[in-house]
Amino acid sequence: MPYRICFVCLGNICRSPMAAIVMRGLVAEAGLDVEVDSAGTGSWHVGGPADRSALSALTRGGYDGSQHVARQFRPSDFARYDLVVGLDRANVRDLRRLAPSPEAAAAVRLLRDYAGVPDLDVPDPYGGPDVEFDDALALVVEACRGLLASLPTTVR
Ligand code: 4NP
């Protein structure tokens, strides 16, 4: 069984797709049996592609986001993942509210905690200038490296 991670933001078109794509690259490079998905707490963009500015930022960073299809996180998803990672504190709060059990709520983490800077958001770049997307991607890369290093030893 692979270890399963789901990154969750609000729309699933900017930050969590970035995190999933970056993390997939890291686990592939490390040769780990880890499956990585993403989802949004909101339903506005379900079935659609990643945001155009997010795709451009990914391209500038050397990543390909063209295969992304947005979906909404459901309470039943908690059973599918070992780890559910919110991109900001509102995502974490919303996820814990959705959680069907205390154990599920306990599987929710905040992404930047893995970068050693507790309780900080990856700010929402939606509708903002390119630099905000580049900044979000840089925060995501840093935190995903920390997350990789903190995976359980059974996975590494
Ligand atoms: P994301 O950005 O949560 O990083 O995907 C957003 C995308 C869309 C919306 C909000 C945030 N929206 O309100 O449609």
Side-chain angles (χ1 to χ4, degrees):
M1 278 273 280
Y3 188 81
R4 292 200 172 94
I5 303 171
C6 189
F7 293 101
V8 180
C9 63
L10 182 56
N12 192 219
I13 57 171
C14 300
R15 295 165 294 169
S16 64
M18 285 181 177
I21 289 156
V22 166
M23 195 67 198
R24 274 188 208 121
L26 290 172
V27 298
E29 210 171 84
L32 305 184
D33 190 15
V34 178
E35 241 178 57
V36 184
D37 292 325
S38 70
T41 56
S43 62
W44 309 284
H45 302 283
V46 167
D51 177 85
R52 203 181 317 160
S53 299
L55 288 170
S56 302
L58 283 165
T59 300
R60 285 192 294 278
Y63 301 96
D64 174 19
S66 64
Q67 299 307 305
H68 179 69
V69 179
R71 69 184 188 93
Q72 186 175 24
F73 193 88
R74 294 199 197 85
S76 58
D77 284 328
F78 278 104
R80 299 183 47 213
Y81 296 106
D82 297 289
L83 187 61
V84 178
V85 184
L87 272 283
D88 67 27
R89 288 165 290 181
N91 305 142
V92 168
R93 196 169 55 237
D94 291 342
L95 284 163
R96 288 191 175 140
R97 215 176 274 145
L98 273 181
S101 69
E103 292 73 29
V108 179
R109 295 283 184 278
L110 179 64
L111 181 62
R112 290 187 68 196
D113 285 3
Y114 293 105
V117 282
D119 220 29
L120 290 179
D121 299 334
V122 175
D124 186 353
Y126 183 60
D130 282 352
V131 64
E132 291 183 14
F133 285 83
D134 291 336
D135 288 350
L137 181 59
L139 293 175
V140 160
V141 169
E142 180 191 32
C144 283
R145 288 191 182 125
L147 170 54
L148 183 78
S150 78
L151 288 174
T153 49
T154 49
V155 180
R156 285 179 284 134

